[in-house]
């Protein structure tokens, strides 16, 4: 997988490949990260990459020419047909389905903007799709580019260790994860749920599935919206809600 990033801060983005899963993937050649810096294509005396917005207003806009030149240079180092994606607050929401589509490609380009944004003519002529990470504001496209790189890389065959990949990820199943516990059995008077100590693997699997369903319904009901639950899952959910209801009524015990 070759991911190219157009950015004014390549040293920031390259840090995503220094540690952990992405670091290992890069070291083993599963991931190749490439950079182009628009600054290197700013040909005026001051190497300016930004300018004031037409129509007025606060902030600066990334200039067309250095950005276009960097994108064209990057395209030459990417596989034929690799899409060019821009990180932008105006983009479509990035999600796990998108990460899976990108992981199936040979490569793609990411354009990280700074300032108020990039000249819209770049989007019209050099960008295939705009991606947003969500409804919050960060200072530029670099952290979003790192996050997309991480989400995609961990999906590459061989990127995760055996233990990590045997474990079906949260969101792949469309549900939030169940709670996790490790030693000791009791800490600060807090005990591990008895079922996890029972050694009854079927009961444990059932409890985890129930927790995953229950937590998803309470915290992220939107994730259950389009989902077709099995009869068993509906049963687990009813039992979970009944137990929570019961807890509620006995809080002061
Ligand atoms: C005042 C209008 N703001 C737009 C929402 C200005 C603005 C804020 C942040 C312009 C650019 C940016 C930089 N953000 C990104 O480049 C960005 C981003 C984000 O801020 N949130 C979520 N996803 C992304 S992807 C790229």
């Amino acid at each position: 997988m070759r991911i190219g990033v157009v950015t004014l801060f390549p040293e920031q983005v390259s840090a995503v490949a220094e540690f952990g899963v992405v670091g290992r993937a890069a070291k083993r050649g599963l991931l190749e990260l490439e950079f182009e810096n628009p600054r290197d294509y700013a040909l005026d005396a001051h190497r300016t990459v930004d300018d004031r917005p037409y129509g007025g207003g606060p902030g600066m806009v990334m200039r067309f020419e250095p950005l276009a030149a960097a994108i064209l240079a990057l395209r030459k180092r990417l596989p034929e047909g690799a899409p060019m994606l821009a990180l932008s607050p105006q983009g479509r929401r990035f999600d796990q389905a998108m990460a899976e589509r990108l992981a199936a490609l040979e490569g793609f380009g990411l354009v990280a903007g700074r300032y108020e944004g990039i000249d819209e003519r770049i989007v019209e002529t050099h960008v295939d799709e705009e991606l947003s990470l969500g409804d919050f504001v960060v200072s530029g496209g670099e952290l979003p580019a790192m996050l997309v790189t991480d989400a995609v890389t961990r999906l590459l065959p061989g990127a995760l260790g055996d233990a990590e990949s045997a474990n079906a990820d949260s969101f792949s199943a469309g549900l939030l994860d169940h709670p996790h516990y490790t030693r000791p059995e009791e800490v600060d008077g807090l005990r591990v749920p008895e079922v996890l100590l029972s050694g009854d693997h079927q009961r444990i699997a059932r409890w985890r599935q129930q927790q995953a369903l229950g937590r998803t319904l309470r915290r992220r009901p939107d994730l259950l919206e389009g989902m077709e639950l099995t009869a068993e899952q509906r049963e687990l959910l009813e039992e979970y809600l009944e137990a929570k209801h019961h807890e509620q009524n006995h809080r002061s015990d």
Side-chain angles (χ1 to χ4, degrees):
M1 164 68 61
R2 181 170 289 198
I3 301 178
V5 186
V6 172
T7 171
L8 290 170
F9 301 108
E11 287 179 330
Q12 179 187 355
V13 180
S14 64
V16 72
E18 284 178 24
F19 307 96
V21 167
V22 182
R24 212 178 333 127
K27 204 176 294 168
R28 291 161 55 191
L30 292 178
L31 170 71
E32 294 178 306
L33 258 189
E34 310 271 356
F35 297 99
E36 288 290 347
N37 190 338
R39 184 82 58 192
D40 296 336
Y41 299 90
L43 302 176
D44 60 307
H46 297 99
R47 312 197 105 198
T48 52
V49 291
D50 62 332
D51 206 340
R52 292 168 304 171
Y54 275 118
M60 301 291 269
V61 175
M62 284 184 81
R63 293 176 51 217
F64 182 94
E65 288 145 289
L67 204 43
I71 291 171
L72 288 176
L74 182 68
R75 192 173 275 304
K76 291 185 191 155
R77 301 161 62 190
L78 291 177
E80 184 96 358
M84 193 61 62
L85 312 170
L87 286 320
S88 155
Q90 282 72 50
R92 186 157 71 86
R93 267 287 279 283
F94 179 76
D95 60 13
Q96 192 65 17
M98 186 66 181
E100 282 167 17
R101 280 199 293 279
L102 294 177
L105 302 176
E106 287 180 50
F108 57 90
L110 295 172
V111 179
R114 278 272 153 176
Y115 316 114
E116 286 308 298
I118 67 182
D119 191 303
E120 189 65 20
R121 292 167 293 187
I122 288 286
V123 180
E124 289 166 1
T125 58
H126 290 81
V127 169
D128 296 297
E129 195 172 352
E130 292 177 275
L131 298 181
S132 165
L133 285 205
D135 298 338
F136 51 86
V137 180
V138 295
S139 305
E142 282 76 14
L143 286 170
M146 293 166 80
L147 185 139
V148 169
T149 299
D150 186 302
V152 169
T153 299
R154 52 184 290 110
L155 294 174
L156 300 177
L160 296 182
D162 289 345
E164 290 163 303
S165 33
N167 188 341
D169 256 327
S170 173
F171 287 106
S172 334
L175 296 176
L176 300 184
D177 210 352
H178 56 76
H180 299 267
Y181 298 88
T182 187
R183 294 191 296 177
E185 264 182 49
E186 182 175 330
V187 64
D188 290 349
L190 304 168
R191 290 198 49 80
V192 172
E194 208 51 48
V195 55
L196 298 180
L197 310 173
S198 69
D200 183 340
H201 298 296
Q202 201 171 324
R203 242 183 99 219
I204 291 170
R206 185 178 185 281
W207 181 85
R208 285 179 168 165
Q209 163 95 157
Q210 182 171 53
Q211 290 291 315
L213 285 162
R215 282 152 59 111
T216 305
L217 183 65
R218 298 186 128 226
R219 300 178 188 191
R220 293 292 308 279
D222 57 300
L223 293 179
L224 291 178
E225 225 66 356
M227 255 174 93
E228 197 71 73
L229 295 185
T230 67
E232 155 136 55
Q233 286 177 318
R234 284 200 304 275
E235 221 167 278
L236 287 171
L237 210 38
E238 268 166 46
E239 192 182 287
Y240 177 95
L241 292 172
E242 187 51 45
K244 284 286 172 199
H245 185 71
H246 196 258
E247 261 175 50
Q248 197 73 239
N249 290 337
H250 294 266
R251 260 298 127 76
S252 54
D253 290 359

